[in-house]
């Protein structure tokens, strides 16, 4: 059986069924013009959308379509995490060449939405060149969303884990068959994990600014510094096992969270039960001052070509 | 100035500024990990996403990038209209080759979001093959969303306007420089208008099922019939001036709304002040019975190739 409508039915069947009680009476998930959902009982609605493109965001010679599907979901959930929110619903639009194995793509999407509890409630399938997987996620938060712009001078700066594993994993994959002991690096690249609990903990700790490390620590901390009108001094750079300093500083796609908060001890309390975040430095009033180990660092980061 | 970040800033400047009072205190629109919005005070949230692909959904030899941008917004708002909802927020993700004139695309997006009052609050820009414009829209409704599945036997069937103009407009464009008197057909193809007020009126009239005509009347009414477990008999087919019967029945992309409702006179009352919808037939219990002027019609419609 082929054709758009039949293919959509087959792909929907690959998604995990709604969890018991997840569909409120009268709600419409997949299969109508729009998904219709009971408005979540939270004061704030979070909306994020990112597209993942085969050959741009993932090299299909090195990773799989399952991984691409996982990544498309994960990077969007990471944006919700970086606001201190909880993801609720995902929409998936796929535009691509029929030669791509959509079932594999959807298996990865299904694994991610199942792992992180964010069901796909709608979307679209159309032809197009290459393969572009667009995801938009609706999230909520009960407390003030954590923006990039709220950091204050003398706030501490934390990161939720060591950096550079994703870039190191890509380096390993490019070098040929992965050597023994590199599984964690490859997994960090192929199956990034959004730091959802960590984002909630940072918000609970009174984080004044937060971002996920997608373009690299230097670039993403640069976004916080630009938006908050501050500089920063880093005294520490936690490098993932097997990664280089350059990969930790500029590699990106780690999806750890970087956040600023007053040095009150609230961070340690809020992260009780989670891996302790690593304090890497502090904010300073002079926005032109951006130092690691007393050396200036470049906030350029990786950008798409336009 | 080039680069992704600079290009995003330039494109955001092309969008209309928020209307006075539109941004609630503490809200974040464009420029953070996610948009953060006060949860709208409505019991139902509507979520829709559709991608528009250059060369697939629009032939750039015949229409412009401005038109593609307009269309990407309009088709998504049409999905909200078809649920009886009001659009609130749009996210736009563009994946494309840097050779495309993004400014032109965004001028069309800006014109549409301004015309229909649905601001762009976030999105993403990345490289990719061709040009894929993904839009997702969040809408609300205070009343029960109008699904495809609620039609009852003997309900009347209405369409909000004549059909076939978009397909006829495409035919005109393909034939060479448009002849005099074809402006309305060309505009119907290049700048479709979501029937937002009509969708609200149909919902207020007690519409039991509704869909927008994107794939063609036969296909889209087929979706209602399939979802509602019914057949239908059409006695009328309103053909737009300059269009053919085939274009009216199978052309698609008209974005008129087709809806079913009891024959109580409520439809006429609810559409007071709007163009009167046209009653084209009625639902019948036998789901295999799908007739126009006593002849069977094919619900196949246009599908993407998979």
């Amino acid at each position: 059986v082929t054709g758009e409508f039949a293919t959509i039915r087959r792909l929907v069947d690959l998604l995990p069924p709604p969890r018991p009680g997840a569909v409120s009476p009268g709600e419409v998930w997949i299969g109508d013009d729009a998904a219709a959902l009971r408005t979540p009982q939270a004061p704030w609605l979070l909306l994020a959308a990112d597209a993942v493109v085969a050959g741009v965001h993932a090299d299909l010679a090195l990773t799989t379509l399952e991984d691409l599907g996982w990544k498309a979901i994960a990077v969007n959930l990471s944006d919700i995490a970086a606001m201190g929110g909880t993801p609720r619903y995902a929409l998936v639009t796929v535009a691509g060449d029929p030669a791509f194995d959509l079932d594999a793509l959807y298996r990865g999407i299904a694994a991610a939405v199942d792992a992180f509890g964010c069901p796909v409630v709608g979307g679209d399938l159309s032809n197009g060149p290459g393969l572009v997987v667009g995801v938009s996620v609706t999230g909520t938060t009960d407390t003030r969303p954590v923006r990039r712009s709220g950091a204050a001078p003398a706030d501490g700066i934390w990161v939720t884990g060591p950096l550079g594993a994703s870039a190191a994993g890509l380096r390993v994959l490019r070098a040929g068959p992965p050597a023994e002991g590199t599984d964690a690096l490859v997994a960090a690249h192929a199956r990034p994990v959004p730091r959802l609990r960590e984002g909630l903990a940072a918000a609970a700790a009174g984080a004044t600014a937060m971002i996920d490390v997608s373009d690299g620590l230097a670039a993403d901390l640069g976004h916080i510094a630009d938006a908050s009108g501050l500089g920063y001094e880093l005294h520490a750079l936690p490098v993932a096992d097997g990664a280089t300093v350059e990969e930790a500083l500029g590699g990106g796609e780690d999806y750890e969270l970087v956040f600023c908060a007053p040095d009150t001890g609230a961070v340690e309390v809020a992260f009780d039960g989670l891996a302790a975040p690593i304090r890497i430095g502090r904010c300073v009033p002079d926005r032109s001052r951006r130092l690691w180990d007393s050396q200036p660092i470049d906030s350029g980061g990786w950008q798409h070509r336009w």
Side-chain angles (χ1 to χ4, degrees), chain A residues 11 51-54 65 68 92-100 102 105-106 109 123-135:
Chain A
L11 297 176
V52 170
V53 182
L65 275 169
L68 184 75
V92 175
T93 63
V94 175
D97 185 295
F100 283 98
L102 290 190
L105 176 75
Y106 265 74
I109 290 171
D124 178 45
L125 174 64
S126 77
N127 292 145
L131 181 65
V132 179
V133 184
V135 173

Side-chain angles (χ1 to χ4, degrees), chain A residues 151-239:
Chain A
D155 274 355
I157 303 172
W158 284 262
V159 62
T160 53
L163 300 169
S166 175
L170 181 57
R171 168 172 49 81
V172 166
L173 287 167
R174 284 179 173 158
E180 222 169 302
T182 58
D183 290 4
L185 297 177
V186 169
H189 178 71
R191 298 259 169 158
V193 173
R195 269 56 176 189
L196 292 165
R197 288 176 302 172
E198 291 80 358
L200 293 174
T208 53
M210 182 153 58
I211 194 168
D212 64 331
V213 182
S214 55
D215 294 331
L217 178 68
D220 291 314
L221 192 50
H223 291 315
I224 285 184
D226 289 344
S228 298
L230 297 170
Y232 58 81
E233 295 175 355
L234 303 185
H235 64 262
L237 180 69
V239 181

Side-chain angles (χ1 to χ4, degrees), chain A residues 8-9 11-13 15-16 18 23 27-37 90-92 106 119-124:
Chain A
I8 289 174
R9 278 192 295 274
L11 297 176
V12 168
D13 283 344
L15 297 173
V23 183
E27 283 194 348
V28 186
W29 286 22
I30 292 166
D32 217 298
D33 297 285
L37 307 148
L91 302 173
V92 175
Y106 265 74
V120 175
V121 296
D124 178 45

Side-chain angles (χ1 to χ4, degrees), chain A residues 165-306:
Chain A
S166 175
L170 181 57
R171 168 172 49 81
V172 166
L173 287 167
R174 284 179 173 158
E180 222 169 302
T182 58
D183 290 4
L185 297 177
V186 169
H189 178 71
R191 298 259 169 158
V193 173
R195 269 56 176 189
L196 292 165
R197 288 176 302 172
E198 291 80 358
L200 293 174
T208 53
M210 182 153 58
I211 194 168
D212 64 331
V213 182
S214 55
D215 294 331
L217 178 68
D220 291 314
L221 192 50
H223 291 315
I224 285 184
D226 289 344
S228 298
L230 297 170
Y232 58 81
E233 295 175 355
L234 303 185
H235 64 262
L237 180 69
V239 181
D241 282 346
T244 66
V245 165
E246 289 70 26
E247 287 164 346
L249 205 56
E253 302 210 324
D254 283 311
Y255 300 103
E256 296 290 351
L257 300 173
V258 181
F259 63 92
C260 306
D263 270 310
T264 60
V267 169
E268 290 70 19
V269 173
F271 277 79
D272 186 41
L274 298 173
I278 304 148
R279 193 177 179 292
I280 57 173
R282 65 186 180 93
C283 299
V284 299
D286 177 0
R287 61 180 298 160
S288 69
R289 193 171 169 84
R290 299 181 184 193
L291 304 179
W292 168 54
D293 200 19
S294 307
Q295 300 298 313
I297 68 175
D298 175 9
S299 297
W302 193 84
Q303 300 191 25
H304 287 276
R305 191 165 49 93
W306 289 103

